[in-house]
Amino acid sequence: MLKRSHIKVFEWFVTICVWIFRGTPMVVQIMIAFAWMHFNSMPTIGFGVLDLDFSRLLPGIIIISLNSGAYVSEIVRAGIEAVPKGQVEAAYSLGIRPKNTMRYVVLPQAFKNILPALGNEFITIIKDSSLLQTIGVMELWNGAQSVVTATYLPISPLLFAAFYYFILTTILSALLKKMELKLSQGGRV
């Protein structure tokens, strides 16, 4: 919404942020955030073999969120702009206020257009979480590599991690396909 605003400062700020986050690799962003935000006083909470080191987890979560937010903002903007101008003009001619036009006319139509791209972005986030292993966050891929190091069995743990990612993304893809089919038949999600 800030990129579509008529206030140039907001529009430029959002454009520059999107440009930076879409134009640089996420692994580089994660490393920069980790170096910049490394907090030694953040707690580490242990759950069995897993340790949640918040000094490593926090920069990772922030960068994945900002990086994905840059892509999602462009997806949503494109979806809103894809709604025909005639729909907005028709709503205005019926006396619907701009706020309600966006809420009840534009966004439902835009949602149908952006759902596949949003689903793809969500699946990409799940797979890109493996990049957090570069700063030592214990996630699925890092866990598989730790098992490989401890057991000297290179194939089984890595295949398990790949299978786990594959199952997660397959389930999400099926749910998204079901939502898309329901929306294409005129239903609501």
Side-chain angles (χ1 to χ4, degrees), residues 78-147:
I80 289 171
E81 289 177 359
V83 175
K85 301 279 187 224
Q87 296 288 322
V88 175
E89 292 169 2
Y92 289 163
S93 69
L94 291 172
I96 301 174
R97 295 176 185 235
K99 181 179 171 183
N100 289 334
T101 298
M102 181 61 78
R103 182 176 176 190
Y104 295 114
V105 177
V106 175
L107 288 180
Q109 293 179 59
F111 186 71
K112 285 184 180 183
N113 295 333
I114 66 175
L115 183 62
L118 282 178
N120 289 338
E121 180 60 25
F122 188 61
I123 288 170
T124 299
I125 291 171
I126 289 173
K127 294 189 296 184
D128 283 350
S129 69
S130 64
L131 295 173
L132 295 181
Q133 61 102 13
T134 58
I135 58 172
V137 172
M138 183 57 78
E139 44 73 49
L140 180 63
W141 186 249
N142 197 352
Q145 288 180 325
S146 296
V147 172

Side-chain angles (χ1 to χ4, degrees), residues 37 39 42-45 51-59 61:
M37 297 174 53
F39 303 114
M42 294 292 285
T44 299
I45 300 173
D51 289 331
L52 294 177
D53 183 0
F54 287 103
S55 67
R56 297 175 186 276
L57 190 61
L58 188 62
I61 289 172

